[in-house]
């Protein structure tokens, strides 16, 4: 079975045409994407250890805002709570920590946490959702393919 990092990369590649299409209506065409390892929980690993995959769209040297840092902060909030960070931003702001970024743009699907930064926060969240669902469905495909190839395999 392929590893999570390669599946995460494939998920981004799969939704990239939709991201490019969305860029025709966004405020810029720059983006940083962070995908957390769905097998690691906050009590098992540090945040830095749990970052599975990151990538940028656009040229980071041209950014006027540190989108990579913002995406990591959004991912940290979502990973810490296992909820998209819009929940704290809109419904439970009393739970915001002093250092929490005050923009949303993450998505949680099962144990998959994805965060983006670079465009409007609602579009960051949309793109994060696309990637999270694609990651899960590609993982299901891998899992089913593996079961078909090796039906008696007892562990991943």
């Amino acid at each position: 079975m392929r590893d999570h990092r390669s599946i995460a990369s494939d998920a981004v590649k799969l939704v990239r045409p939709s991201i490019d299409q969305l860029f025709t209506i966004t405020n810029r065409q720059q983006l940083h994407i962070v995908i957390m390892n769905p097998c690691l929980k906050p009590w098992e690993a540090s945040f830095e250890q749990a970052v599975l995959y990151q990538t940028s769209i656009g040229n980071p040297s041209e950014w006027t805002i540190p989108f990579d840092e913002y995406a990591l902060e959004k991912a940290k909030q979502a990973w810490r709570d296992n909820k998209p960070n819009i929940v704290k931003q809109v419904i439970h702001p009393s739970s915001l920590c002093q250092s929490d970024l005050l923009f949303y743009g993450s998505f949680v699907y099962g144990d998959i946490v994805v965060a983006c930064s670079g465009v409007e926060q609602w579009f960051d969240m949309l793109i994060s959702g696309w990637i999270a669902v694609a990651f899960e469905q590609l993982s299901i495909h891998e899992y089913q393919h593996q079961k078909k190839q090796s039906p008696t395999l007892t562990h991943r």
Side-chain angles (χ1 to χ4, degrees):
M1 193 164 169
R2 292 183 320 132
D3 68 3
H4 278 100
R5 185 177 302 278
S6 63
I7 294 171
S9 174
D10 285 351
V12 172
K13 289 176 192 164
L14 183 66
V15 303
R16 181 63 195 264
S18 294
I19 295 169
D20 291 338
Q21 180 64 35
L22 186 64
F23 278 167
T24 65
I25 62 168
T26 57
N27 58 355
R28 63 182 69 83
Q29 290 75 48
Q30 301 165 336
L31 192 70
H32 190 77
I33 301 163
V34 176
I35 303 173
M36 302 302 293
N37 187 331
C39 295
L40 295 177
K41 307 297 179 251
W43 57 88
E44 297 174 327
S46 71
F47 172 75
E48 293 76 16
Q49 293 169 322
V51 173
L52 175 68
Y53 180 81
Q54 297 184 66
T55 191
S56 295
I57 297 173
N59 187 350
S61 67
E62 296 174 2
W63 293 352
T64 58
I65 298 169
F67 296 123
D68 52 346
E69 293 174 23
Y70 284 14
L72 285 163
E73 287 296 319
K74 292 175 183 185
K76 184 184 284 185
Q77 289 176 32
W79 182 68
R80 182 177 65 214
D81 298 327
N82 201 38
K83 295 180 186 126
N85 70 329
I86 192 173
V87 172
K88 278 189 177 182
Q89 303 287 329
V90 176
I91 300 172
H92 300 292
S94 62
S95 298
L96 285 166
C97 297
Q98 195 68 29
S99 62
D100 282 346
L101 184 70
L102 300 181
F103 298 107
Y104 64 88
S106 62
F107 197 88
V108 178
Y109 186 65
D111 291 327
I112 298 169
V113 174
V114 180
C116 295
S117 188
V119 294
E120 294 92 330
Q121 58 188 342
W122 48 92
F123 288 142
D124 287 339
M125 184 175 175
L126 174 64
I127 295 165
S128 297
W130 289 342
I131 294 167
V133 172
F135 184 103
E136 188 68 64
Q137 299 312 305
L138 290 171
S139 295
I140 289 170
H141 174 75
E142 273 300 309
Y143 178 69
Q144 294 300 328
H145 179 74
Q146 182 65 41
K147 285 177 63 174
K148 184 177 178 182
Q149 298 295 341
S150 304
T152 59
L153 187 69
T154 57
H155 293 85
R156 186 166 190 236

